[in-house]
Amino acid sequence: MTNAGTGPSQLPLLQLTNGFMSFKTFAAAVELDVFTRLAGGRAVTAGEFAELIGIEPRPADILLTALTSIELLEKDGETYRNAPVAEEYLVEGRPYFFGGYLQFYNHAMYPGWQHVVQSLRTNRPMFVDSDKQKSVFGSAEDRFLMDFFWNAMHALAGYTARALGEVYDFSQHRRLLDVGGGSGGFPIELCRRIPGLEASVYELPHVCDIVTEKVEAGGMEHAVTAVPGDFTTDTELPGGHDVILLSQVLHCGDEASNRELLAKCWKALEPGGAVLICELLINAERSGPSTAALMGMNMLLSHPGGQNYSETEYASWLTDAGFAEPYVVRFEAAGANGAVVAHKPTA
């Protein structure tokens, strides 16, 4: 973008600077239940909106204009309604409700980003004392994490699983091991879509209770089970699986710990089986995409040693671990933009 005869425009810089305004406007609307209250095609005037949300006419008018400008609402004459993306993903109770994930970032991650310069200067995370704790996930006493984070990630995992399932054929497998699978959103979605597929969610003991709750709520007790363990300290992973999934796991660790985990995957996986590293992948040139690169900044703030890696780095680690012919399947989802796939040789 340029100004005629004067060189580059400042507008891209303004858009970067004002990015937080879009985010905080979006978060405020979710917290006020705007999209849930407008569910089902409900259209309201500015006056009706103010009464519906419980705010005065001036802020109601300002909020409606802002939400329309960022394409979360649509205006038809004098009335406003949810845009399709808001109706699909921002109405509470919908299968892939995105609002919980947004609010986790708003209340937990956003304040921590105030200290990003400190993380850059010290090479230390801001959300955990790395001298005392290896991971933000290790404690069952953190009620915010237990009550908010896992629920926030659940819908994101389900949607990402659906996208991955459209480009990778899981029907060729019998038993899936989801290593560090959080609340079980990935295997619940995959096993629901693929008859006969069974899955184990290998997670910390205090997270397994959440897995069991989500599995029961989804009516998938016949296919998905929780297996307690800690992949960072256990010498072996559970065996008897012909496909292993690592979804948004390796970006939490450094190269050495990730190589160690891939070696455990190779040992546990049945011959001929596949391993999938599902992540926001940085390209081979390490120039983007921005979703992956900026998530790497988030990992700097969140985890000792964590960052987002390139598809070529993952492929190299897989080959070194003994896996054969790694390749990338690409898709678009909030949780990942692709998966690096490799197989364990049969002999």
Side-chain angles (χ1 to χ4, degrees):
M1 184 180 294
T2 61
N3 290 325
T6 62
S9 169
Q10 288 187 331
L11 285 180
L13 303 180
L14 180 66
Q15 290 169 345
L16 288 173
T17 303
N18 289 352
F20 80 96
M21 298 182 188
S22 297
F23 169 73
K24 295 299 281 189
T25 299
F26 179 18
V30 170
E31 193 158 323
L32 290 169
D33 292 326
V34 168
F35 309 108
T36 301
R37 293 174 184 269
L38 295 180
R42 183 174 184 178
V44 295
T45 64
E48 291 168 338
F49 178 81
E51 184 176 352
L52 179 67
I53 304 303
I55 57 179
E56 295 185 23
R58 175 175 171 266
D61 179 65
I62 292 171
L63 180 59
L64 283 168
T65 301
L67 292 174
T68 304
S69 76
I70 59 177
E71 301 181 350
L72 294 178
L73 294 182
E74 294 179 340
K75 187 177 183 183
D76 181 12
E78 297 301 316
T79 63
Y80 300 82
R81 62 170 56 87
N82 283 341
V85 68
E87 185 69 22
E88 184 74 15
Y89 302 119
L90 297 177
V91 174
E92 191 164 3
R94 295 284 168 85
Y96 304 110
F97 177 60
F98 193 82
Y101 182 78
L102 169 74
Q103 291 296 66
F104 172 73
Y105 268 74
N106 186 37
H107 292 292
M109 304 304 291
Y110 190 87
W113 271 78
Q114 299 294 327
H115 307 289
V116 64
V117 173
Q118 186 177 347
S119 271
L120 288 166
R121 285 176 170 162
T122 64
N123 191 25
R124 295 171 67 90
M126 294 294 104
F127 294 104
V128 61
D129 185 344
S130 54
D131 290 333
K132 300 178 181 179
Q133 191 177 347
K134 291 184 178 181
S135 169
V136 295
F137 305 122
S139 174
E141 304 303 318
D142 187 338
R143 294 317 309 171
F144 184 86
L145 194 68
M146 291 295 291
D147 297 338
F148 204 167
F149 173 77
W150 298 115
N151 284 328
M153 295 300 294
H154 190 76
L156 192 73
Y159 183 85
T160 305
R162 185 178 75 173
L164 175 58
E166 291 174 354
V167 297
Y168 181 83
D169 181 15
F170 280 93
S171 67
Q172 63 187 300
H173 300 293
R174 299 176 294 100
R175 296 195 68 208
L176 164 72
L177 177 64
D178 189 0
V179 177
S183 62
F186 241 96
I188 290 171
E189 181 75 19
L190 292 175
C191 290
R192 179 182 291 121
R193 289 174 169 269
I194 302 165
L197 181 65
E198 297 181 353
S200 304
V201 182
Y202 179 60
E203 255 297 357
L204 297 168
H206 61 272
V207 182
C208 283
D209 293 337
I210 299 174
V211 176
T212 300
E213 176 187 327
K214 296 294 186 183
V215 169
E216 291 176 351
M220 296 301 294
E221 301 98 317
H222 63 284
V224 183
T225 58
V227 179
D230 184 347
F231 65 77
T232 66
T233 58
D234 294 349
T235 57
E236 296 183 348
L237 304 182
H241 302 85
D242 63 341
V243 58
I244 294 178
L245 174 69
L246 297 161
S247 175
Q248 295 182 311
V249 169
L250 296 189
H251 71 187
C252 297
D254 59 19
E255 179 176 344
S257 63
N258 288 338
R259 284 180 176 273
E260 182 180 354
L261 179 55
L262 289 175
K264 293 178 184 178
C265 290
W266 191 91
K267 185 177 180 180
L269 186 64
E270 293 182 351
V275 62
L276 291 89
I277 300 173
C278 185
E279 291 276 3
L280 287 168
L281 301 168
I282 291 177
N283 60 30
E285 298 77 24
R286 299 192 65 80
S287 60
S290 61
T291 50
L294 294 175
M295 183 57 72
M297 291 288 292
N298 201 47
M299 293 302 101
L300 174 70
L301 283 156
S302 305
H303 300 279
Q307 66 181 83
N308 278 52
Y309 298 96
S310 71
E311 56 197 61
T312 51
E313 287 173 292
Y314 286 132
S316 175
W317 300 349
L318 286 163
T319 300
D320 290 347
F323 292 99
E325 301 179 348
Y327 63 95
V328 180
V329 292
R330 304 188 189 281
F331 56 90
E332 291 186 5
N337 61 10
V340 184
V341 185
H343 290 80
K344 180 176 179 178
T346 55

